[in-house]
């Protein structure tokens, strides 16, 4: 039997939960304090009550979870400090859980696959916000948008602005993808969330998650990842300014400072430009499917001097290190395709082809742009792409020169020609920054 506790003091209430895991089913006990300013004083007494209820003592605790935030600064510091102190005194592991991630879990019954936008009331007409990818009713651990602070009136427009880019990045169909909004900001600011009835927005759970949700999430993390070093445990507090200075007020600044929208990185801006170009032409990029193979083989045989066989393409579907891509039109017709092979130190662009009637119309550029963006967004992929091109294929070479690929070598007699001669391959490479 394993026992985990969770401490939450991020919101206006404080809560403590105890999870007893006996490998058959979990039992969770919880206590909540709504005394606001005196919540912190109730945490340890509530913990002792839970342990007594389960006939346990503090020495029976095997791991600690605490709400890292975002939330109220004092409450977060207290929760973090108590977790550190208990972990040090009992010599047990401790792990933080985001208030936003825990709140996302509450809305999983409302969405199977799509995006989860969590908005928690930060007061002053601002929200703590994060966005998660949801697949098969599971919140994916790495957020699409990490915890940020923004004006509540900016949320919906800001999300809609990025929606198509997220769909491309996470390989979802924009027309079929839903956004579920979770968190107590819906109730705190009801006029700021205008629902598109029958559209892409879904309404999820309107609560701020408490310790019972935290302890379930944290227990999974402790089992799979272990605890963090005590020196790594810090609160996540997003607001660094709540009032103007005397000098600012004397200069005529009134009211509260308004938080600016998060700035987009150069990589995000590059992704947005690509999405705009694709949409302008009614194109999209998705993973290549086995059902695409007849169209792939037809293009391959018309465009390649040494075409791949169907078996070679099938091997790509079966190999975990291959990434296979299709550029399609609005009718889901294949216009171009590309295949990448991910090695430990380099990504090999194995092949890229455009239907003969559509060449020199920018489609190859769009697909190559995506291949580079995709690499840069993947934390575990090397940031170098390597390829070979026929010495006689000046059109392809111009494309790669446009994208600033550099020749790093030559493979003598690498390709066969139609007349059974041999042709050199230029080896090109680009480091993506």
């Amino acid at each position: 039997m394993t026992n985990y506790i969770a401490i939450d003091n991020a919101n206006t209430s404080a809560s403590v939960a105890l999870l007893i895991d006996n490998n058959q089913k979990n039992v969770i006990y919880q206590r909540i304090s709504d005394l606001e300013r005196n919540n912190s004083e109730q945490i340890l007494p509530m913990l002792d009550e839970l342990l007594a209820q389960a006939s346990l003592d503090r020495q029976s605790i095997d791991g600690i979870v605490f709400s890292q935030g975002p939330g109220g600064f004092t409450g977060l510091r207290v929760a973090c400090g108590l977790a550190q102190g208990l972990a040090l005194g009992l010599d047990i592991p401790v792990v933080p859980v985001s208030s936003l991630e825990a709140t996302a879990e509450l809305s999983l019954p409302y969405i199977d696959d799509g995006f989860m936008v969590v908005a928690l009331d930060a007061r002053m007409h601002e929200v703590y916000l994060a966005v998660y990818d949801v697949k098969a009713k599971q919140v994916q651990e790495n957020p699409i948008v990490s915890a940020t602070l923004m004006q509540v009136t900016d949320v919906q427009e800001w999300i809609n602005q990025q929606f198509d880019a997220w769909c491309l990045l996470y390989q979802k169909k924009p027309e079929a993808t839903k956004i579920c909004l979770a968190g107590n900001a819906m109730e705190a600011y009801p006029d700021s969330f205008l629902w598109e009835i029958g559209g892409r927005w879904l309404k999820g759970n309107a609560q701020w998650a408490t310790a019972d949700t935290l302890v379930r999430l944290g227990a999974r993390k402790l089992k799979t990842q272990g605890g963090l070093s005590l020196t790594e445990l810090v609160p996540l507090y997003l607001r660094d300014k709540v009032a103007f200075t005397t000098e600012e007020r004397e200069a005529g600044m009134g009211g509260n400072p308004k938080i600016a929208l998060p700035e987009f990185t150069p990589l995000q801006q590059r992704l947005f430009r690509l999405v705009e170009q694709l949409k302008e032409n009614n194109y999209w990029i998705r993973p290549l499917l086995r059902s695409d193979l007849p169209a792939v083989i037809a293009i391959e045989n018309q465009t390649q001097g040494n075409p791949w066989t169907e078996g070679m393409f099938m091997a790509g579907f079966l190999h975990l290190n291959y990434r296979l891509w299709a550029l399609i039109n609005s009718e889901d017709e294949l216009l171009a395709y590309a295949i990448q092979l991910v090695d430990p130190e380099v990504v090999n662009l194995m092949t890229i082809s455009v239907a003969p009637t559509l060449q020199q119309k920018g489609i190859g550029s769009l697909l190559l742009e995506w291949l580079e963006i995709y690499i840069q967004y993947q934390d575990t992929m090397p940031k170098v792409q390597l390829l070979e091109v026929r010495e006689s294929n000046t059109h392809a070479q111009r494309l790669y020169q446009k994208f600033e690929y550099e020749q790093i070598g030559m493979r003598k007699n690498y390709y066969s020609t139609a007349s059974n001669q041999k042709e050199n391959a230029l080896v090109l490479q680009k480091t993506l920054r």
Side-chain angles (χ1 to χ4, degrees), residues 13 41 71 189-190 212 218 233 238 262 264 284 339 374 398 405:
S13 63
E41 299 172 8
Y189 308 104
D212 58 340
L233 303 177
L238 299 178
F264 294 125
W284 198 246
I339 298 179
Y374 176 76
R398 285 194 295 272
Y405 282 77

Side-chain angles (χ1 to χ4, degrees), residues 361-379:
K361 294 185 178 181
I363 292 177
S365 292
L366 293 175
L367 190 50
L368 185 57
E369 181 85 353
W370 164 247
L371 299 178
E372 294 188 358
I373 290 172
Y374 176 76
I375 290 172
Q376 289 183 275
Y377 265 101
Q378 308 309 308
D379 293 336

Side-chain angles (χ1 to χ4, degrees), residues 172-423:
K172 301 179 189 292
K173 295 180 179 179
E175 65 276 10
T177 299
K178 301 292 185 180
I179 307 173
C180 183
L181 182 64
N184 69 338
M186 287 186 285
E187 292 188 347
Y189 308 104
D191 294 337
S192 296
F193 297 101
L194 304 176
W195 302 103
E196 306 170 35
I197 303 302
R200 68 172 60 130
W201 287 86
L202 302 172
K203 185 175 181 179
N205 191 299
Q207 296 178 328
W208 186 311
T210 53
D212 58 340
T213 304
L214 288 165
V215 78
R216 288 197 300 270
L217 275 175
R220 294 205 299 262
K221 293 175 185 289
L222 285 166
K223 287 179 181 179
T224 58
Q225 304 168 15
L228 298 184
S229 163
L230 295 185
T231 58
E232 297 178 273
L233 303 177
V234 292
L236 175 60
Y237 186 72
L238 299 178
R239 180 180 282 124
D240 56 7
K241 185 167 185 172
V242 296
F244 289 119
T245 65
T246 300
E247 290 182 357
E248 289 170 332
R249 290 196 300 272
E250 290 174 351
M253 296 181 182
N256 295 317
K258 290 187 180 296
I259 193 73
L261 282 170
E263 293 184 1
F264 294 125
T265 67
L267 179 58
Q268 288 173 314
Q269 294 172 5
R270 187 179 180 189
L271 175 61
F272 298 156
R273 286 194 297 269
L274 173 61
V275 168
E276 288 177 3
Q277 291 175 301
L278 290 170
K279 291 174 64 179
E280 285 173 3
N281 293 280
N282 291 316
Y283 297 154
W284 198 246
I285 297 172
R286 59 160 171 78
L288 196 68
L289 306 174
R290 296 189 189 193
S291 58
D292 295 320
L293 275 181
V296 169
I297 297 300
I299 295 174
E300 182 77 4
N301 289 335
Q302 295 176 73
T303 59
Q304 300 293 340
N306 301 102
W308 282 26
T309 65
E310 184 174 340
M312 294 169 70
F313 283 105
M314 284 298 300
F317 286 109
L318 299 173
H319 200 298
L320 293 177
N321 288 351
Y322 277 86
R323 305 291 183 271
L324 298 87
W325 302 106
L327 191 149
I328 58 173
N329 62 15
S330 58
E331 303 298 322
D332 203 31
E333 296 171 330
L334 185 76
L335 309 182
Y337 59 88
I339 298 179
Q340 296 168 300
L341 172 60
V342 182
D343 284 334
E345 297 182 356
V346 67
V347 177
N348 299 280
L349 177 51
M350 305 298 290
T351 185
I352 179 170
S353 292
V354 179
T357 58
L358 298 173
Q359 291 182 359
Q360 301 187 46
K361 294 185 178 181
I363 292 177
S365 292
L366 293 175
L367 190 50
L368 185 57
E369 181 85 353
W370 164 247
L371 299 178
E372 294 188 358
I373 290 172
Y374 176 76
I375 290 172
Q376 289 183 275
Y377 265 101
Q378 308 309 308
D379 293 336
T380 59
M381 287 179 67
K383 299 300 181 279
V384 177
Q385 183 154 256
L386 181 141
L387 58 92
E388 293 97 15
V389 60
R390 287 177 180 269
E391 196 170 25
S392 63
N393 192 346
T394 55
H395 173 66
Q397 289 176 41
R398 285 194 295 272
L399 172 63
Y400 299 131
Q401 288 168 2
K402 170 186 169 184
F403 277 78
E404 300 181 342
Y405 282 77
E406 297 181 354
Q407 182 178 345
I408 61 169
M410 178 183 291
R411 295 182 177 176
K412 295 286 188 179
N413 302 322
Y414 184 74
Y415 290 111
S416 296
T417 67
S419 58
N420 292 323
Q421 301 297 312
K422 293 294 182 180
E423 182 177 0

Side-chain angles (χ1 to χ4, degrees), residues 126-147:
E126 294 174 349
V127 296
Y128 304 119
L129 184 135
V131 183
Y132 298 90
D133 180 24
V134 178
K135 293 180 179 176
K137 280 198 175 295
Q138 294 293 321
V139 175
Q140 305 304 296
E141 188 167 355
N142 294 324
I144 299 171
V145 176
S146 298

